[in-house]
Amino acid sequence: MNGYWMIVLCLLAAQYLFVLFSRSADSAVTLSPGKGHMFIACNVMIIVTMASAEIWLRRSCRYHKQAVVVCGFIVSYLMYFVLEPYVDGAQMTVMMPIMIALIYFDHRLLYSLGVFSTIFYAVIYFALERPLLGKPFLEFLLVECVYIIFGIMARAVIIRGRETREYLEQLTKSEQELMVERAISDKLLKMDALTGLYNHKSFHEYLDSLLEQCESNRLRLQLALFDIDNFKHINDTYGHWVGDLVLKEVAAKVNSMIGLNDFAARYGGEEFAVIFTDKNVHDAYAVAEHIRAGIAAMAHPYAGGKPITVSIGFCHYQLGDGKEALFRKTDDALYTAKRSGKNTVVVSGVAHGDDPLISYA
């Protein structure tokens, strides 16, 4: 519609300049009483048609395409009646509705408007142009040929446009599939294939980043190392496939009991690691103890029905300690837990049997 408004405004401006500056006899009678009524009526109808279509498009959510097509068809023929007495080749304005099909890339609309415009102009020629203006038949044939050629060219443009659109859609789909595959690949590189937890490499990358946040922004962080008790005995007694099932179930239990801001990884073999963030030491310890009790309560019928437990070493990060000291403290706490009867949580710096919550208070 914006394009049509520009064309209409240009038409009105051209008419104004023509009447204002032309010295021809035609311009002298354009607005004279009794002879200029057709000229004025067509311009008024053009404005009314454009305004009506604009109101419809703004107030209604239906039939937008039909409104544009009908408006364009009416305006183009009114423009033809305005220009025909003064401009050679005014028949080209009748091609304007066909151009709408190019905007919508609509084959059916192109065929409909093309056939209708061709027939409608034939009616105008034999009813008006030939008897009133004496235009030769050859001019009629040339104009009709132009309509047909333009329709063929418009069809080629639509076909090419659709091919380009399909190509872009396929390209976009391929890029999306590639992004999904890349995301899956990145995830597989970060995840442990057996347990579904993050792997050893991803754990260290994440821990390094968090330790930087601890030092710069005083982020609270605790590290817990889990070790499945008597795991070698499970493998030797029931087979490695049972051992794999135990690893999967323990990993699933750990992952289901940590918070959204916590990070769980398979550290290696039967060892797991959990990084607690945005928690005070009491809450983080409580989660570690809750995980230990939850694992001990799990049923393992394929492993003789005996409970499978974990020993946990727990350490709260102190500013300035660094990664090496954090691991040494946590590993020492885990070693103490293994030597102290297993199935327990030992906090670094707290003797076994003491209350870690009291010790940290």
Side-chain angles (χ1 to χ4, degrees):
M1 287 301 296
N2 290 336
Y4 271 126
W5 274 116
M6 293 178 62
I7 294 173
V8 170
L9 292 177
C10 289
L11 174 67
L12 295 176
Q15 292 178 74
Y16 175 76
L17 294 175
F18 174 76
V19 173
L20 186 63
F21 296 106
S22 178
R23 298 180 180 178
S24 65
D26 291 333
S27 63
V29 298
T30 297
L31 299 177
S32 61
K35 296 184 178 180
H37 59 278
M38 187 68 177
F39 179 85
I40 297 174
C42 288
N43 282 287
V44 171
M45 291 175 65
I46 288 174
I47 299 299
V48 171
T49 301
M50 291 293 297
S52 300
E54 195 70 38
I55 293 172
W56 178 270
L57 293 176
R58 291 180 182 275
R59 293 189 176 182
S60 176
C61 298
R62 303 175 62 188
Y63 307 115
H64 279 195
K65 182 190 293 187
Q66 291 83 346
V68 173
V69 170
V70 172
C71 174
F73 192 83
I74 295 174
V75 169
S76 64
Y77 275 93
L78 290 173
M79 290 176 62
Y80 164 76
F81 288 124
V82 170
L83 296 175
E84 174 57 28
Y86 314 106
V87 179
D88 292 334
Q91 300 93 334
M92 295 303 102
T93 59
V94 183
M95 295 172 57
M96 288 172 52
I98 304 177
M99 298 175 64
I100 299 175
L102 289 177
I103 299 175
Y104 291 106
F105 284 94
D106 191 330
H107 268 124
R108 295 179 59 185
L109 186 61
L110 173 65
Y111 297 148
S112 301
L113 291 176
V115 172
F116 190 79
S117 296
T118 302
I119 297 174
F120 200 81
Y121 175 69
V123 173
I124 290 177
Y125 173 78
F126 288 106
L128 299 176
E129 289 188 346
R130 186 176 181 87
L132 298 180
L133 301 177
K135 290 194 175 182
F137 186 71
L138 180 60
E139 182 176 343
F140 164 74
L141 293 178
L142 290 175
V143 172
E144 293 285 31
C145 288
V146 170
Y147 290 166
I148 295 172
I149 293 172
F150 183 81
I152 294 173
M153 293 176 62
R155 179 179 179 275
V157 171
I158 292 175
I159 292 175
R160 181 57 179 167
R162 288 187 172 182
E163 290 176 351
T164 303
R165 183 180 62 186
E166 291 174 358
Y167 171 75
L168 292 176
E169 289 176 352
Q170 292 177 358
L171 184 62
T172 302
K173 185 177 180 180
S174 299
E175 290 180 352
Q176 291 174 346
E177 292 176 351
L178 183 61
M179 291 176 63
V180 172
E181 291 176 359
R182 186 178 300 169
I184 294 174
S185 299
D186 291 343
K187 183 177 181 180
L188 291 176
L189 289 174
K190 294 180 179 180
M191 307 301 289
D192 175 67
L194 178 63
T195 62
L197 299 179
Y198 287 97
N199 57 28
H200 184 275
K201 180 176 180 293
S202 298
F203 167 78
H204 280 284
E205 290 176 351
Y206 190 67
L207 181 61
D208 290 338
S209 176
L210 288 177
L211 290 178
E212 291 180 3
Q213 294 294 321
C214 287
E215 297 296 338
S216 60
N217 300 320
R218 304 183 70 85
L219 175 72
R220 293 178 296 184
L221 182 145
Q222 298 84 28
L223 174 64
L225 294 178
F226 295 64
D227 187 273
I228 299 178
D229 298 326
N230 305 315
F231 187 72
K232 185 177 184 301
H233 176 72
I234 295 172
N235 276 335
D236 293 342
T237 304
Y238 303 104
H240 287 281
W241 72 275
V242 172
D244 288 345
L245 287 176
V246 170
L247 289 172
K248 288 181 180 179
E249 292 188 352
V250 170
K253 175 61 77 172
V254 171
N255 199 41
S256 67
M257 300 181 75
I258 62 175
L260 294 176
N261 294 325
D262 302 331
F263 184 94
R266 184 185 181 189
Y267 193 70
E270 69 274 18
E271 289 188 359
F272 301 90
V274 175
I275 303 172
F276 299 102
T277 62
D278 199 29
K279 288 183 176 65
N280 60 47
V281 63
H282 295 179
D283 292 339
Y285 173 83
V287 174
E289 177 62 30
H290 187 50
I291 293 173
R292 181 204 62 76
I295 293 174
M298 294 172 63
H300 305 279
Y302 47 82
K306 298 179 180 179
I308 293 173
T309 61
V310 294
S311 298
I312 303 175
F314 181 91
C315 181
H316 176 71
Y317 180 73
Q318 302 292 331
L319 294 178
D321 275 0
K323 183 178 179 180
E324 183 178 350
L326 174 64
F327 264 94
R328 184 179 67 252
K329 291 179 180 180
T330 310
D331 201 49
D332 289 345
L334 176 60
Y335 182 69
T336 301
K338 299 292 284 187
R339 292 181 58 191
S340 304
K342 305 175 181 178
N343 189 26
T344 186
V345 181
V346 173
V347 180
S348 174
V350 180
H352 180 63
D354 293 342
D355 187 340
L357 302 186
I358 296 175
S359 300
Y360 271 96

